[in-house]
Amino acid sequence: MRVMVVGKGGREHALCWRLNQSPSVWKLFCTIGNPGINSLATPVPVEPNDVKRLADFAAQERIDLTVVGPEEPLTLGIADEFAARGLTLIGPTKAAAQLEASKSFAKQIMREAGVPTADFAVFDDLEQARAHVRRMCGPMVVKADGLAAGKGVAVCEGVEQALRAVDDAMARGVFGAAGRRVVIEERLAGQEVSFFALCDGTGAMALGMAQDHKPVFDGDRGPNTGGMGAYSPVPQFDASLEERIMSEVVKPTLGVMGARGTPFRGVLFAGLMVDRGRLKVLEFNVRLGDPECEALMMRVEGDLAQALLAAAQGHLCANDFRLSPKSAVCVVLASRGYPGAYEKGLPITGLERIDGSAPSDAKIRWAIEQVRVKVFHAGTASRDGCLVTDGGRVLVAAASAPTLEVATQAAYEAADMIEFPGKHLRRDIAAKAFAANPA
Ligand code: AMP
Ligand code: GLY
C-alpha cells in the first residue's frame, strides 16, 4: 500500500522507519520532515497542519493509508476532512480528539465511564477558581483546559502557588484561550507510565507501555519538556497492569465515546499515575507519544501498516502485529536551553560512526547480535550538505536488546558518539526500572 505519515519529528521518523519494514508498504510519503525522515520517505511539500492540502495530496497520489503523528492536525479535523473525501486515515475525528484538546472534556468522559482519575473541579470564573484553591489547601494541580504546548499544567505545593497558576491562566492569559477555563485537581503521588491502545471505534488492542522522562534534568528536576527519553517495557509494573488498563480505562472510554456518537478511532494514549498497584489516569492524548513512540517502534514486529489500516477501517482483527520481548531505550539529545530558548544551526558530528557500530563494552558484547541501535532525527536540518541542529529536541538515540540493562548501555554509547555544541541529555533514563529491579 501507499502510506503517508503526517508530522516531522522523532516520532514520525521512528514511524517511517518501522512502516518502511512493513511487508505491505511499498511506497512511503511524509510531510517535509528532516534529513532522517527524508532518507526513508518521499517528502510531501505540505505542512502537517494544512489539512485540506494534505487531503488533496492524498487523493492525487492515491494514498491508501495516512498515519498522523502530532495532535494539532487531529484537533484541526484532518480525520473529518479525509473521511469526507473517502480517504483512509488512522486518527480520531475532531470531536473525538477533544479527549486531548480539552482537559475538562476528558475528565467528564472519565467520570461518565467510571475511569479512575484524580478528583477535580472545572472553572470558567476566576474568583470561583481562587475560592476553590483556598478551600483545597494542600498540594494540588492547576491545568489550563486547552492545548498549551505541554506548559499548561502547574503541579503546586500549596495555595500560594496554585493561586499564581490560576492567575497566570485566567487573569494574565499566559496560555491565551487555552487557559480561560481551568481544571483544578488533587495532586497524586506515584510513578507515571504511558499506555497506548489502537482503537477502531468499538474495540481496541494494546500497543504497549513505556515510561517517559518529562523534566529536563536528572532526578526529574527542572521544567517539563516534551520528553527526554523513554523505555519499554516497564518492568516495575507487572503484566496484569496492562490488562487492567485495557478493561478499566480503554474499554469504558471507548464505550462512552461511542454512546455519545463520537466513536474513537486511532491511538488512545493514557498517561497514568500508578501507586502501589492503584492506577489513575492523569490525561488522555489521541496519538502516539514522543519519545515513547521511538522506544515502542524498536520493539514492533509484524506488519504495523496492516494493523493501522484495519483499525482505520473500523475492523481491528487478528493480525501479526506484536511487540518483541526485548527491551528498548531511547535517549533524547537536546539543545542547550531547551525547553526555553536555544540556538539552531549548530553542526552535528559522529552519526556516521553509529551506523553499523557494535557496542564496545565487554559486558554487553555477548549480546551484540541481539542489540540494535538506531538514531532518529527530531530537530535536524541539512545545510550545505552538513547536518545541523534545528530544534529543541535534536536527535533520539535508541537501542533494543534482550535486557533493559544492555539496551540502556547501547543507547548511551550511541548518544555519546554524537556531538554538537551545547548537547544536553539526561543520564538517568530507565533508572527507575533499575531502582525497582536492581539489575
Ligand atoms: P498532563 O498534561 O495532564 O499529563 O500533566 C503534565 C504532567 O503534570 C504529568 O505528566 C504529571 O507529571 C503532572 N501531573 C498532572 N496531573 C497531576 C496530578 N493530578 N498529580 C500529580 N501530577 C500531575
Ligand atoms: N511524551 C509525552 C507526549 O508525547 O505527550
Side-chain angles (χ1 to χ4, degrees):
M1 66 179 109
R2 295 162 70 80
V3 176
M4 173 164 74
V5 173
V6 176
K8 50 184 175 181
R11 166 180 48 206
E12 290 75 25
H13 187 185
L15 276 170
C16 285
W17 173 72
R18 183 50 76 194
L19 285 167
N20 225 9
Q21 295 163 28
S22 280
S24 62
V25 175
W26 53 271
K27 178 86 183 155
L28 191 62
F29 296 84
C30 186
T31 50
I32 302 174
N34 55 46
I37 296 175
N38 297 347
S39 70
L40 293 172
T42 303
V44 179
V46 182
E47 283 296 320
N49 286 350
D50 196 345
V51 302
K52 285 206 158 37
R53 288 188 57 217
L54 283 174
D56 290 342
F57 182 88
Q60 185 190 317
E61 288 292 333
R62 301 178 321 282
I63 301 290
D64 300 298
L65 172 69
T66 296
V67 182
V68 184
E71 63 277 15
E72 290 95 338
L74 296 165
T75 59
L76 289 169
I78 191 170
D80 310 70
E81 183 71 32
F82 273 56
R85 304 216 205 164
L87 296 162
T88 306
L89 174 145
I90 181 71
T93 58
K94 186 174 181 173
Q98 285 300 302
L99 278 178
E100 175 160 0
S102 165
K103 292 192 188 291
S104 59
F105 176 84
K107 288 295 236 183
Q108 181 57 36
I109 297 294
M110 288 182 226
R111 189 175 267 167
E112 281 178 37
V115 167
T117 189
D119 283 340
F120 70 101
V122 179
F123 297 93
D124 292 302
D125 177 81
L126 174 64
E127 286 316 316
Q128 285 179 12
R130 293 178 125 257
H132 183 76
V133 164
R134 290 202 187 87
R135 275 196 303 276
M136 287 232 343
C137 47
M140 68 191 103
V141 181
V142 177
K143 302 183 175 185
D145 185 56
L147 292 177
K151 299 194 173 99
V153 174
V155 179
C156 306
E157 292 301 330
V159 172
E160 289 302 303
Q161 218 184 338
L163 286 175
R164 267 200 306 280
V166 165
D167 286 350
D168 278 350
M170 301 183 88
R172 295 181 44 225
V174 169
F175 310 114
R180 273 190 216 132
R181 168 178 290 178
V182 296
V183 176
I184 302 177
E185 63 183 42
E186 63 169 326
R187 180 167 152 188
L188 302 172
Q191 257 195 58
E192 282 181 55
V193 70
S194 305
F195 180 81
F196 303 90
L198 180 61
C199 308
D200 69 1
T202 50
M205 67 182 229
L207 281 182
M209 195 183 272
Q211 189 168 55
D212 189 11
H213 297 67
K214 284 187 178 146
V216 70
F217 299 125
D218 286 15
D220 286 339
R221 287 175 302 109
N224 270 356
T225 65
M228 294 297 294
Y231 63 100
S232 172
V234 190
Q236 60 273 42
F237 302 128
D238 69 61
S240 70
L241 186 68
E242 189 163 308
E243 283 156 35
R244 283 180 53 208
I245 299 170
M246 286 300 280
S247 65
E248 293 174 31
V249 176
V250 176
K251 294 205 170 122
T253 301
L254 290 186
V256 168
M257 294 299 284
R260 283 174 161 243
T262 53
F264 187 93
R265 213 174 259 185
V267 175
L268 183 63
F269 166 174
L272 300 128
M273 190 74 96
V274 183
D275 186 20
R276 281 160 293 172
R278 278 196 301 272
L279 64 89
K280 288 193 175 179
V281 175
L282 292 177
E283 64 166 348
F284 281 133
N285 295 312
V286 298
R287 51 173 173 86
L288 283 160
D290 190 351
E292 292 96 321
C293 176
E294 289 89 313
L296 285 177
M297 290 304 131
M298 295 299 287
R299 296 183 58 212
V300 167
E301 292 177 344
D303 197 328
L304 175 64
Q306 280 296 354
L308 297 177
L309 180 69
Q313 291 172 334
H315 51 75
L316 206 51
C317 51
N319 56 60
D320 72 347
F321 169 91
R322 62 196 174 272
L323 285 188
S324 101
K326 283 186 181 177
S327 290
V329 177
C330 69
V331 178
V332 171
L333 310 184
S335 298
R336 177 167 38 222
Y338 173 75
Y342 52 82
E343 209 176 324
K344 288 185 185 177
L346 302 169
I348 301 169
T349 54
L351 266 179
E352 65 292 345
R353 292 171 54 208
I354 294 167
D355 282 337
S357 74
S360 61
D361 191 299
K363 230 166 142 190
I364 63 177
R365 210 167 289 144
W366 65 271
I368 275 174
E369 297 286 292
Q370 306 273 351
V371 178
R372 186 158 202 188
V373 175
K374 179 76 201 154
V375 179
F376 298 114
H377 292 235
T380 65
S382 179
R383 187 174 298 166
D384 304 326
C386 295
L387 193 66
V388 297
T389 65
D390 196 41
R393 292 190 288 180
V394 178
L395 291 159
V396 185
S400 63
T403 68
L404 188 62
E405 187 192 23
V406 174
T408 307
Q409 284 192 36
Y412 275 111
E413 281 205 16
D416 288 336
M417 284 187 197
I418 302 166
E419 290 304 334
F420 56 86
K423 177 182 94 173
H424 167 71
L425 67 159
R426 272 183 69 157
R427 286 277 161 202
D428 63 347
I429 304 303
K432 289 192 189 91
F434 298 124
N437 295 339

